[in-house]
């Protein structure tokens, strides 16, 4: 299993535990506010498990869209998918060793072929600081495209 998958699952388990604890605390605090008595109160907290995304292109795009929504970064599934297919054919380990960026010592990497300085400048908090991590690569590239072009949806060629 890739390291990013293990990290994501561990993060999801921690989040689920945190939500369960917070949910229980809220239920106990809220009961007196609504006049519930101990005999009639239902103190069972219901929690929603974090969304589990498949470890494939579809899952990476959907998870990235979720992260992007939390940070106000525009973009659509179609725009992201179109650009990924042009840039890397969906290979998160893709690296360009022949273009002008590579000749200058900063090869383009990952699904959306981001160079390291761009990844560092546009990295989205909450994602791994790794340009080969599919979700981190997508969100950083979309953050850059939003700043430069308004959205990844407006990118139809090398950017």
């Amino acid at each position: 299993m890739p390291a990013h998958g293990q990290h994501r699952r561990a993060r999801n388990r921690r989040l689920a535990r945190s939500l369960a604890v917070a949910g229980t605390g809220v239920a106990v605090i809220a009961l007196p506010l609504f006049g519930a008595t101990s005999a009639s109160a239902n103190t069972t907290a219901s929690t929603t498990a974090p969304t589990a995304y498949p470890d494939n292109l579809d899952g990476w795009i959907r998870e990235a869209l979720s992260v992007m929504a939390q940070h106000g970064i525009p973009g659509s599934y179609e725009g992201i998918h179109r650009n990924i297919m042009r840039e890397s054919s969906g290979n998160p380990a893709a690296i360009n060793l022949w273009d002008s960026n590579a000749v200058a010592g900063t090869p383009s990497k990952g699904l959306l072929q981001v160079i390291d300085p761009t990844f560092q400048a546009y990295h989205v908090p909450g994602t791994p600081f790794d340009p080969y991590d599919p979700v981190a690569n997508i969100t950083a590239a979309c953050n850059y495209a939003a700043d430069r072009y308004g959205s990844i949806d407006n990118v139809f060629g090398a950017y």
Side-chain angles (χ1 to χ4, degrees):
M1 171 185 302
H4 69 273
Q6 292 172 347
H7 173 71
R8 200 174 310 145
R9 285 182 181 79
R11 181 180 64 212
N12 288 345
R13 284 192 299 273
R14 284 193 303 274
L15 178 61
R17 282 194 303 270
S18 296
L19 289 173
V21 170
T24 302
V26 170
V28 171
I29 292 170
L31 289 176
L33 297 176
F34 296 107
T37 66
S38 60
S40 64
N42 180 359
T43 59
T44 304
S46 63
T47 59
T48 303
T51 303
Y53 297 96
D55 192 19
N56 59 29
L57 183 58
D58 178 67
W60 301 327
I61 294 172
R62 292 185 187 286
E63 184 173 355
L65 285 167
S66 176
V67 172
M68 291 164 55
Q70 295 170 22
H71 291 275
I73 301 168
S76 69
Y77 186 100
E78 294 76 17
I80 294 169
H81 188 269
R82 171 176 35 86
N83 282 284
I84 286 173
M85 296 315 292
R86 183 190 65 253
E87 294 291 336
S88 69
S89 299
N91 178 2
I95 184 166
N96 183 326
L97 297 174
W98 57 267
D99 71 358
S100 61
N101 288 319
V103 171
T106 55
S108 305
K109 301 173 181 176
L111 289 171
L112 284 166
Q113 293 294 282
V114 179
I115 61 173
D116 285 339
T118 302
F119 181 82
Q120 293 164 3
Y122 290 93
H123 173 258
V124 177
T127 65
F129 202 80
D130 174 4
Y132 289 106
D133 178 86
V135 174
N137 186 278
I138 293 169
T139 57
C142 288
N143 196 17
Y144 167 76
D147 186 47
R148 180 115 187 220
Y149 306 103
S151 172
I152 192 74
D153 296 339
N154 298 329
V155 176
F156 292 93
Y159 59 107

